[in-house]
Amino acid sequence: MPRPTSQLEVHKFGGASLADPQAVRHAVAIIQGRPAPRVIVVSAMAGVTDLLLETAGRARAGDVVAAYKASGLLRERHQGAVRALLPTGQLRNELLAFVDAQVDELETLAKGLSILRELTPRTSDFLVARGERLSARLVAAALQAAGVKTRYVDAADVVKTDAHFGNASPDLERTDAALRKALRPLLGQGGTPVVTGFIGSAPDGEVTTLGRGGSDLTASLVGRALAAARVNLWKDVPGLLTADPRVVPDARVLPQLNVREAAELAYYGAKVLHPRALIPVIGRKVPLFVRPFGEPAAAGTEVSERETGLDVPVKALSSAPGQALITVEGNGMLGVPGVAARTFAALQREQISVSLITQASSEHSICFCVPASSAERARGCLAEAFRDEIAHREIDGVAVRTGVATIAVVGLGMAGTPGVARRVFSALAEQGINVIAIAQGSSELNISAVVEEAQAKEAQRAIHAAFQLGKVGGGSVAPRDRLDIFLLGFGRIGRSFAELVGELPANGPKVRIVGVADRSGVVFDPAGLSPHRLASIAREKAKGHSLRHLDGGTPWNAEFAVRSATRHALSHPVLVDVTADETTAVVRGALAGGMDVVLANKKPLSGPGREAEELFEVARTHGRRLRHEATVGAGLPVMDTFSKLIETGDEIVSIEGCFSGTLGFLLSELERWKKFSQALQAAIDAGYTEPDPRDDLSGSDVARKALILGRMLGFKGEPASVVTESLVPEGARQLPLKQFLARLSAWDDWFAQKIRTAQQKGQVLRYVATVTPRRLRVGLQPVSADNPFAALKGTDNQIVFTTVRYREHPLVIRGPGAGPLVTAAGVLNDVLALARR
Ligand code: ADP
Ligand code: ASP
Ligand code: MG
């Protein structure tokens, strides 16, 4: 046993704690604020491991361009951080050269992969290990620049693992010895070693990785070897929570957990800790603390040998999605010894890890879960192992059911408490959730259930509520009623929306903006962007500055930014999309990542029918909501009215309307004999038009609205099937936007002529959409003076619902239907509706 030295502390900084230069500075400040001796363990900067894997994957698929794009991003991020953190001089130059060398090598490898089209786990490890090597060099240099005596330590030299590349396990004894030998002398000289997390070396010396999230494990290995007084894991969450906060919004911080409880949670999928992170410290007196990076003074969660809270049966739950349930079944198994042993031996030979096992007491079947990605291999090796029994019909075969998730309910207090399982299963039954299999460990520390993956989130919420885990001491992650908004698009609508949010009354639902993204970059802060900061971002943007260059800005694209936002402990996260871009993938990612979505952007719902349907499907399977009031008629209650009619059992026959505030404005200006060029310019200046006004003139914007409404009525057609009359004059269709805008007056007469012809017949022209379940048409319609559409002025929209109940006198909604402020108000309405769940 090592001498229980010390006051020694290990500090591990996760990816999110090293997201950008500002975060690295914060990490340095935390380290400086802690007493020596200390050892630092770092993972790669946020998103870097994913990017490295993406580079490798793209290269293997032969897409060198995409691979280089990803590697370019890596170079930019690390060099940007080096420049921001280190003063000019030798250290900085060395580090810049190191980044170059690492990325150059990556690119050479990528080129090779694209030719070979093969990527072995061994090569993959060699490739991704550089994420930690880069960040550890960076942190060491930043510490050195701050006057801390430090030394970079490559974990490949000190963490000894098996040869299971991609998910290697450490050899505890050899690692203990190597770590002590390398670190003690450094510590003895008063230095602070910085160790690369996540990586180790196989017996042949090749670099291995410990599996995703593996730097937690590195930290506990160091803590064990040096008998540290404590290991601090600095993360982007307030501590270990009763459940994943992205799934259960009222999850709470646990003040303390026993190591075995925490190990159980980690093993069953709690993403906050690597599944094997606690193995090295079980039975050792080395407590771990999961602590909030953003709040260094807060206590976080202690994970230790202590047993507390034994009066509550359940402390926390976790879930592993993406599992497959495998059943080996047959009458011939009854009473035959060794079937279970052979089953698991076969799986072990294939290195397939089994998470949950149940066996019917009749011994008629054995059932267990494996990751879905290993399901086919498992089936194959079992069919092989039991070939004779299957041939003789003693075993029916090996059945595989994919699309399931395991849920683990954990607490030392459940030992000997009767009725815990019953409470779990009745909570699930009340929600109509079917339990496919159950298992209880003999330690009575954990009850596990297998459910349909699509129901896993709902299942967790139900169990969390049934055991009142939201009331466990320690304080909640965030006020339960707060919505955290990620705002996509920061043009006029986005800025108006931000202003409206800033002006919300204090006694209503709390709404906070945590991220703003546009094509120029992202500013994201899980602690929230104050109205003051948002106003300053708006000012910088108005000066033409990119978001990526602002304080806290990153060059991430929206899809990546939203994905990474979903990993933060946000309270009721909502994606608000006010762009006019193709954002379907972003929206899908947000829904799948647990966000609700509010759209003003019409594109995701008015593209190919399959895509739009899929979004609603993803929302449904993830228990999320997708609202889109502002896609038609800006802030007018169009969708709201629609749902109210349907909810009360009415049936909609058709919808007719003038949905284009822009065209409405333009036509009524033309009627007053304004020139087309002047009228259109006025519409642009007022923010009524789409970025390219021809999207309004061509009718395509109205066609999109018609399609969205049509689909709500059951219209099955594609965008091309909307009959659309374009008002873009021939000859103006192909022009670049700039030239089109420069030549507007060329079409003044063409428009004046159209108006004149109608007026001679005593009519006015309106751009009308007609929507029925079978046919969608948008175009100019001459209407006589007594038609209600004739009276429309300016940007006003009018929407007419003809329904079974409102047949003689259709239901009419009318009011302003364009402009940043009313659109933003429509969006805010949707957001507030989400708060009223
Ligand atoms: P690190 O930065 O150290 O790699 P991780 O990102 O791996 O940290 O772990 C923190 C994430 O784990 C949080 O973003 C949170 O969404 C997720 N998580 C899942 N389950 C829990 C839980 N029970 N308690 C805290 N966080 C959890
Ligand atoms: N960088 C590695 C990962 O992203 C290891 C870690 O973060 O702990 O999985
Ligand atoms: Mg992690």
Side-chain angles (χ1 to χ4, degrees), residues 792-835:
L792 273 182
K793 284 279 175 289
T795 63
D796 278 7
N797 279 14
Q798 175 157 300
I799 296 97
V800 180
F801 287 95
T802 305
T803 75
V804 171
R805 282 182 206 144
Y806 295 91
R807 199 186 273 279
E808 298 299 301
H809 300 282
L811 181 72
V812 178
I813 299 170
R814 178 165 169 180
L821 195 61
V822 285
T823 308
V827 170
L828 185 59
N829 236 316
D830 270 350
V831 168
L832 295 177
L834 291 173

Coordinates of all heavy atoms in Angstrom, one line a residue, residues 792-835:
L792 N -58.1 44.9 -47.3 CA -56.8 44.8 -46.6 C -55.9 45.9 -47.0 O -55.8 46.2 -48.2 CB -56.2 43.4 -47.0 CG -56.5 42.2 -46.2 CD1 -55.7 41.0 -46.8 CD2 -56.2 42.4 -44.8
K793 N -55.2 46.4 -46.0 CA -54.3 47.5 -46.3 C -52.9 47.1 -45.7 O -52.8 46.4 -44.7 CB -54.8 48.8 -45.6 CG -55.9 49.5 -46.3 CD -55.4 50.3 -47.5 CE -56.6 50.9 -48.3 NZ -57.3 49.8 -49.1
G794 N -51.9 47.7 -46.4 CA -50.5 47.6 -45.9 C -50.1 46.1 -45.7 O -50.4 45.2 -46.5
T795 N -49.4 45.9 -44.5 CA -48.9 44.5 -44.3 C -49.9 43.6 -43.7 O -49.6 42.5 -43.3 CB -47.6 44.6 -43.4 OG1 -48.0 45.1 -42.2 CG2 -46.5 45.4 -44.0
D796 N -51.1 44.1 -43.5 CA -52.1 43.2 -42.8 C -52.3 41.9 -43.6 O -52.3 41.8 -44.8 CB -53.5 43.9 -42.7 CG -53.5 44.9 -41.6 OD1 -52.4 45.1 -40.9 OD2 -54.5 45.5 -41.3
N797 N -52.4 40.9 -42.8 CA -52.7 39.5 -43.3 C -54.2 39.2 -43.0 O -54.7 39.8 -42.0 CB -51.9 38.4 -42.6 CG -50.5 38.3 -43.2 OD1 -50.1 39.2 -43.9 ND2 -49.8 37.3 -42.9
Q798 N -54.8 38.4 -43.8 CA -56.1 37.9 -43.4 C -56.2 36.4 -43.7 O -55.8 36.0 -44.8 CB -57.1 38.6 -44.3 CG -58.5 38.1 -44.0 CD -59.5 39.2 -44.4 OE1 -59.5 40.3 -43.8 NE2 -60.4 38.9 -45.4
I799 N -56.6 35.7 -42.7 CA -56.7 34.2 -42.9 C -58.1 33.8 -42.6 O -58.7 34.2 -41.6 CB -55.8 33.5 -41.9 CG1 -54.3 33.9 -42.2 CG2 -55.9 32.0 -42.0 CD1 -53.8 34.9 -41.4
V800 N -58.7 33.1 -43.6 CA -60.1 32.7 -43.5 C -60.2 31.2 -43.4 O -59.8 30.5 -44.3 CB -60.8 33.2 -44.8 CG1 -62.3 32.8 -44.7 CG2 -60.6 34.7 -45.0
F801 N -60.8 30.7 -42.3 CA -61.0 29.3 -42.1 C -62.4 28.9 -42.4 O -63.3 29.5 -41.8 CB -60.8 28.9 -40.6 CG -59.4 28.9 -40.1 CD1 -58.8 30.1 -39.5 CD2 -58.5 27.8 -40.3 CE1 -57.5 30.1 -39.1 CE2 -57.2 27.8 -39.8 CZ -56.7 28.9 -39.2
T802 N -62.6 28.0 -43.4 CA -63.9 27.5 -43.6 C -63.9 26.1 -43.0 O -63.1 25.3 -43.4 CB -64.2 27.4 -45.1 OG1 -64.0 28.7 -45.7 CG2 -65.6 27.0 -45.4
T803 N -64.9 25.9 -42.1 CA -64.9 24.6 -41.4 C -66.3 24.1 -41.4 O -67.2 24.8 -41.9 CB -64.5 24.8 -39.9 OG1 -65.5 25.4 -39.2 CG2 -63.2 25.7 -39.8
V804 N -66.5 22.9 -40.9 CA -67.8 22.3 -40.8 C -68.7 23.2 -40.0 O -69.9 23.5 -40.4 CB -67.8 20.9 -40.3 CG1 -69.2 20.4 -40.0 CG2 -67.1 20.0 -41.3
R805 N -68.2 23.8 -38.9 CA -69.0 24.6 -38.1 C -69.1 26.1 -38.6 O -70.1 26.7 -38.5 CB -68.5 24.7 -36.6 CG -68.9 23.4 -35.9 CD -68.4 23.5 -34.4 NE -68.2 22.2 -33.9 CZ -67.2 21.8 -33.1 NH1 -66.4 22.7 -32.7 NH2 -67.2 20.6 -32.7
Y806 N -68.0 26.5 -39.2 CA -68.0 27.9 -39.7 C -68.0 27.8 -41.2 O -67.1 28.1 -41.9 CB -66.7 28.6 -39.3 CG -66.5 28.9 -37.8 CD1 -65.9 28.0 -37.0 CD2 -67.0 30.1 -37.3 CE1 -65.7 28.2 -35.6 CE2 -66.9 30.3 -35.9 CZ -66.2 29.4 -35.1 OH -66.1 29.7 -33.8
R807 N -69.2 27.3 -41.7 CA -69.3 27.2 -43.2 C -69.9 28.4 -43.8 O -69.3 29.0 -44.7 CB -70.1 25.9 -43.5 CG -69.8 25.4 -44.9 CD -70.7 24.2 -45.3 NE -70.1 22.9 -44.9 CZ -69.2 22.3 -45.6 NH1 -68.6 22.8 -46.7 NH2 -68.8 21.1 -45.2
E808 N -71.1 28.8 -43.3 CA -71.8 30.0 -43.9 C -71.0 31.2 -43.7 O -70.7 32.0 -44.6 CB -73.2 30.1 -43.2 CG -74.1 29.0 -43.4 CD -74.4 28.8 -44.9 OE1 -74.9 29.7 -45.5 OE2 -74.0 27.7 -45.4
H809 N -70.5 31.4 -42.4 CA -69.7 32.6 -42.1 C -68.4 32.1 -41.6 O -68.2 31.8 -40.5 CB -70.4 33.4 -41.0 CG -71.8 33.8 -41.4 ND1 -72.0 34.9 -42.2 CD2 -73.0 33.4 -41.1 CE1 -73.2 35.1 -42.4 NE2 -73.9 34.1 -41.7
P810 N -67.4 32.1 -42.5 CA -66.1 31.6 -42.2 C -65.5 32.4 -41.1 O -65.8 33.6 -40.9 CB -65.3 31.7 -43.5 CG -66.3 31.8 -44.5 CD -67.5 32.4 -43.9
L811 N -64.5 31.8 -40.4 CA -63.8 32.4 -39.3 C -62.6 33.2 -39.8 O -61.8 32.7 -40.6 CB -63.3 31.3 -38.4 CG -62.6 31.7 -37.1 CD1 -63.5 32.3 -36.1 CD2 -61.9 30.5 -36.5
V812 N -62.6 34.5 -39.5 CA -61.6 35.4 -40.1 C -60.6 35.9 -39.0 O -61.0 36.3 -37.9 CB -62.2 36.6 -40.8 CG1 -61.2 37.5 -41.3 CG2 -63.2 36.1 -41.9
I813 N -59.3 35.8 -39.3 CA -58.3 36.4 -38.5 C -57.6 37.5 -39.3 O -57.2 37.2 -40.4 CB -57.3 35.4 -38.0 CG1 -57.9 34.3 -37.2 CG2 -56.2 36.0 -37.2 CD1 -57.0 33.1 -37.0
R814 N -57.4 38.6 -38.7 CA -56.8 39.7 -39.5 C -55.9 40.6 -38.6 O -56.2 40.8 -37.5 CB -58.0 40.5 -40.0 CG -57.5 41.7 -40.8 CD -58.7 42.2 -41.6 NE -58.4 43.5 -42.2 CZ -59.3 44.1 -42.9 NH1 -60.5 43.7 -43.1 NH2 -58.9 45.3 -43.4
G815 N -54.8 41.0 -39.2 CA -53.9 41.9 -38.5 C -52.6 41.9 -39.1 O -52.4 41.3 -40.2
P816 N -51.7 42.7 -38.6 CA -50.4 42.8 -39.2 C -49.6 41.5 -39.2 O -49.6 40.7 -38.3 CB -49.6 43.8 -38.3 CG -50.5 44.1 -37.1 CD -51.8 43.4 -37.3
G817 N -49.1 41.2 -40.4 CA -48.5 39.8 -40.6 C -47.1 39.9 -41.1 O -46.6 38.9 -41.6
A818 N -46.4 41.0 -40.9 CA -45.0 41.0 -41.3 C -44.3 42.0 -40.4 O -44.9 42.9 -39.8 CB -44.8 41.4 -42.7
G819 N -42.9 41.9 -40.3 CA -42.1 42.8 -39.6 C -41.5 42.1 -38.4 O -42.1 41.2 -37.8
P820 N -40.3 42.6 -38.1 CA -39.5 41.9 -37.0 C -40.2 41.9 -35.7 O -40.2 40.8 -35.0 CB -38.3 42.8 -36.9 CG -38.2 43.6 -38.1 CD -39.6 43.7 -38.7
L821 N -40.9 42.9 -35.3 CA -41.4 43.0 -34.0 C -42.6 42.0 -33.8 O -42.7 41.2 -32.8 CB -41.9 44.4 -33.6 CG -42.1 44.6 -32.1 CD1 -40.8 44.3 -31.3 CD2 -42.6 46.0 -31.8
V822 N -43.6 42.0 -34.8 CA -44.7 41.1 -34.6 C -44.3 39.7 -34.8 O -44.8 38.8 -34.1 CB -45.9 41.4 -35.6 CG1 -46.6 42.7 -35.1 CG2 -45.4 41.6 -37.0
T823 N -43.3 39.4 -35.6 CA -42.8 38.0 -35.8 C -42.1 37.6 -34.4 O -42.4 36.5 -33.9 CB -41.8 37.9 -36.9 OG1 -42.3 38.5 -38.1 CG2 -41.4 36.5 -37.2
A824 N -41.3 38.5 -33.9 CA -40.7 38.1 -32.6 C -41.7 37.9 -31.5 O -41.6 37.0 -30.7 CB -39.7 39.2 -32.2
A825 N -42.8 38.7 -31.6 CA -43.8 38.5 -30.6 C -44.5 37.1 -30.7 O -44.8 36.4 -29.8 CB -44.9 39.6 -30.7
G826 N -44.7 36.7 -32.0 CA -45.3 35.4 -32.3 C -44.4 34.3 -31.7 O -44.8 33.3 -31.1
V827 N -43.1 34.5 -31.9 CA -42.1 33.5 -31.4 C -42.2 33.4 -29.9 O -42.2 32.4 -29.3 CB -40.7 33.9 -31.9 CG1 -39.6 33.0 -31.2 CG2 -40.6 33.7 -33.4
L828 N -42.2 34.6 -29.3 CA -42.2 34.7 -27.8 C -43.5 34.0 -27.3 O -43.4 33.3 -26.2 CB -42.1 36.1 -27.3 CG -42.0 36.3 -25.8 CD1 -40.8 35.6 -25.3 CD2 -42.0 37.8 -25.5
N829 N -44.6 34.2 -28.0 CA -45.8 33.5 -27.6 C -45.6 32.0 -27.5 O -46.1 31.4 -26.6 CB -46.8 33.8 -28.6 CG -48.0 34.4 -28.0 OD1 -48.5 33.9 -26.9 ND2 -48.5 35.5 -28.6
D830 N -45.0 31.4 -28.5 CA -44.7 30.0 -28.6 C -43.8 29.6 -27.4 O -44.1 28.6 -26.7 CB -44.0 29.6 -29.9 CG -45.0 29.2 -31.0 OD1 -46.2 29.1 -30.7 OD2 -44.6 29.1 -32.1
V831 N -42.8 30.4 -27.1 CA -41.9 30.1 -26.0 C -42.7 30.1 -24.7 O -42.5 29.2 -23.9 CB -40.7 31.1 -26.0 CG1 -39.9 31.0 -24.7 CG2 -39.8 30.9 -27.2
L832 N -43.5 31.1 -24.5 CA -44.3 31.1 -23.3 C -45.3 30.0 -23.2 O -45.5 29.4 -22.1 CB -45.0 32.5 -23.1 CG -44.0 33.7 -23.0 CD1 -44.7 35.0 -22.9 CD2 -43.1 33.5 -21.8
A833 N -45.8 29.6 -24.3 CA -46.7 28.4 -24.3 C -45.9 27.2 -23.8 O -46.5 26.3 -23.2 CB -47.3 28.2 -25.7
L834 N -44.7 27.1 -24.2 CA -43.9 25.9 -23.7 C -43.7 25.9 -22.2 O -43.7 24.9 -21.6 CB -42.5 25.9 -24.4 CG -42.4 25.6 -25.9 CD1 -41.0 25.9 -26.4 CD2 -42.9 24.2 -26.2
A835 N -43.6 27.1 -21.7 CA -43.5 27.3 -20.2 C -44.7 26.8 -19.5 O -44.6 26.3 -18.3 CB -43.2 28.7 -19.8

